[in-house]
């Protein structure tokens, strides 16, 4: 279920998503769930207890898209576990309806805009992005139509007042739990993050005939700035900053780069620290451009504040961890998740399970079977605690 043979790559509304939907839908329907698709391709299954007279429900889920050459567990494991929890709820005869959502897009790979799936459910989908195009020139609007969806029904994707909360189970994607020999942890908050696209524009010229002092080398400017980004993050406690994408033009070995396009991803648990870092790094980029006689362009692609998880649901999750026989731990998430979007419209909690070697967004990404079992046990205890609380 991938776009690239030998590599796991599954972007928003590409053909492999149909295959994932077929697999997950069959599993949902086997549990008696009502299954539908919303206008941005989120797969949604609803299970209600047979004797239920209430429309209240808890939403569970995660995303099914990936980064290029991804691992097998980021996002989709949370969807599979959510469906398994429906089976658990049936067996335990819990008086709580569950809706499972397989979000169609979280990573932002195809169109450069992350969280398309959860933004639609949270009522935060910005229709102005529908015209944005991918590398093949296909717009978000056209991708939705090509997938067989009706974009006119975007309002129908929004969670209604019957949803009492959202819970996401996810691999940690970092080394903390393994370092502390823990299987699971409750997530206390999700760090704020800013993503920018930047471009230095100079002049392409012959690599052999243009003296160094007469060059307007956009790639050299980008290299200088990238080292500034790393130095700034190293001196700021808790700040992480990444330039993960760089494209030089015309990208020839014997031609001075006339332009260089690159990304910035910067995160911190405190918004003021992150915002200050972004401002300082943009000023440095401007100074580099001025000194080298270049033009600087930049676009903010994402600016999400730090998001605390719901205190009540997080306390329930911590209680569930202990009730399942594990050491309770709460920790912030350095990665963005659909939970950060959903937290803006309903009480939200997250459960992490250990990532061996702290590895994610990589084909060697893995999980341990005992950690998956632990996550299911904790989530079952959580559902029992929540169901008892809302009776």
């Amino acid at each position: 279920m991938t776009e690239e043979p030998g590599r796991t790559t599954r972007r928003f509304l590409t053909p492999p998503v149909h295959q994932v939907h077929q697999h997950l839908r069959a599993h949902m329907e086997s549990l008696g769930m009502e299954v539908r698709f919303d206008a941005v391709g989120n797969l949604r299954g609803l299970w209600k207890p047979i004797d239920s007279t209430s429309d209240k429900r808890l939403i569970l889920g995660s995303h099914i898209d990936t980064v290029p050459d991804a691992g097998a567990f980021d996002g989709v494991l949370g969807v599979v576990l959510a469906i398994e929890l429906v089976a658990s709820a049936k067996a335990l005869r819990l008086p709580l309806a569950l809706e499972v959502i397989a979000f169609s897009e979280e990573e932002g790979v195809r169109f450069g805009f992350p969280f398309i799936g959860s933004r639609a459910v949270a009522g935060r989908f910005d229709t102005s992005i529908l015209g944005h195009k991918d590398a093949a020139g296909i717009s978000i609007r056209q991708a939705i139509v090509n997938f067989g969806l009706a974009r006119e029904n975007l309002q129908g994707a929004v969670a209604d007042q019957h949803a009492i909360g959202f819970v996401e189970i996810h691999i940690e994607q970092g080394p903390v739990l393994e370092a502390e020999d823990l299987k699971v942890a409750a997530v206390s908050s999700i760090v704020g993050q800013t993503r920018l696209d930047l471009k230095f524009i100079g002049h392409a010229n012959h690599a052999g005939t243009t003296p160094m002092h007469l060059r307007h080398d956009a790639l050299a400017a980008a290299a200088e700035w990238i080292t500034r980004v790393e130095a700034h993050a190293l001196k700021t406690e808790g700040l992480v900053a990444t330039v993960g994408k760089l494209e030089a033009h015309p990208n020839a070995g014997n031609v001075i780069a006339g332009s260089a396009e690159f990304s910035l991803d910067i995160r911190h648990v405190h918004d003021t620290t992150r915002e200050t870092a972004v401002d300082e790094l943009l000023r440095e980029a401007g100074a580099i451009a001025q000194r080298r006689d270049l033009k600087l362009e930049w676009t903010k692609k994402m600016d999400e504040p730090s998001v605390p998880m719901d205190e009540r649901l997080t306390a329930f999750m911590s209680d569930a961890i202990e009730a399942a026989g594990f050491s309770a731990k709460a920790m912030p998430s350095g990665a963005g998740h659909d939970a950060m979007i959903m937290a803006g419209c309903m009480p939200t909690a997250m459960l992490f399970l250990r990532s061996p070697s702290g590895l994610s967004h990589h084909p060697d990404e893995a999980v341990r079977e005992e950690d998956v079992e632990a996550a299911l046990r904790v989530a079952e205890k959580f559902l029992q605690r929540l169901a008892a609380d809302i009776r």
Side-chain angles (χ1 to χ4, degrees), residues 79-316:
V79 178
V80 172
L81 292 180
I83 296 173
E84 288 301 313
L85 284 170
V86 172
S88 297
K90 291 183 68 174
L92 294 169
R93 301 182 63 85
L94 291 182
L96 175 64
L98 301 176
E99 181 179 7
V100 175
I101 302 182
F103 292 113
S104 58
E105 204 286 334
E106 187 253 20
E107 301 286 3
V109 173
R110 184 175 180 185
F111 293 100
F113 289 91
F115 307 113
I116 291 175
S118 50
R119 287 185 194 277
V121 177
R124 293 180 53 189
F125 186 88
D126 182 359
T127 56
S128 68
I129 72 170
L130 287 170
H132 285 268
K133 298 179 179 180
D134 65 10
I138 299 172
S139 68
I140 296 177
R141 179 183 291 105
Q142 190 60 49
I144 290 173
V145 172
N146 292 349
F147 202 77
L149 303 169
R151 69 172 180 83
E152 291 79 8
N153 195 31
L154 281 168
Q155 190 58 36
V158 180
D160 60 31
Q161 72 276 9
H162 300 301
I164 62 171
F166 174 73
V167 173
E168 182 171 10
I169 304 173
H170 207 285
I171 58 174
E172 180 199 347
Q173 299 182 280
V176 175
L177 292 181
E178 183 169 69
E180 298 184 18
D181 194 26
L182 297 174
K183 298 179 185 296
V184 293
V187 176
S188 57
S189 63
I190 299 176
V191 300
Q193 60 176 292
T194 300
R195 297 185 192 178
L196 304 174
D197 283 344
L198 302 96
K199 184 177 184 178
F200 282 124
I201 303 171
H203 297 290
N205 213 333
H206 197 289
T209 62
T210 309
M212 298 301 292
H213 69 287
L214 296 179
R215 298 184 177 205
H216 303 278
D217 190 334
L219 184 55
E224 180 182 351
W225 185 75
I226 290 169
T227 61
R228 302 276 185 91
V229 170
E230 182 182 43
H232 192 95
L234 286 170
K235 73 179 183 181
T236 307
E237 180 69 28
L239 186 74
V240 291
T242 305
V243 177
K245 181 175 68 174
L246 173 63
E247 297 179 3
H249 303 276
N251 199 33
N254 61 347
V255 181
I256 299 164
S259 66
E261 301 178 46
F262 45 100
S263 62
L264 174 66
D265 181 313
I266 191 162
R267 313 183 190 202
H268 198 275
V269 70
H270 297 303
D271 291 332
T272 53
T273 301
R274 171 179 51 86
E275 292 162 357
T276 298
V278 170
D279 290 342
E280 291 182 7
L281 289 170
L282 285 174
R283 281 197 295 271
E284 291 195 24
I288 290 171
Q290 184 175 24
R291 176 166 46 79
R292 291 175 174 270
D293 196 18
L294 307 173
K295 182 181 179 182
L296 171 68
E297 296 178 350
W298 62 272
T299 304
K300 187 173 289 186
K301 306 292 286 189
M302 175 181 172
D303 194 33
E304 291 290 340
S306 176
V307 178
M309 295 294 94
D310 181 74
E311 291 185 4
R312 170 174 162 269
L313 293 186
T314 302
F316 286 0

Side-chain angles (χ1 to χ4, degrees), residues 355-367:
S355 292
S357 302
L359 195 62
S360 184
H361 283 187
H362 188 280
D364 291 338
E365 177 182 275
V367 294

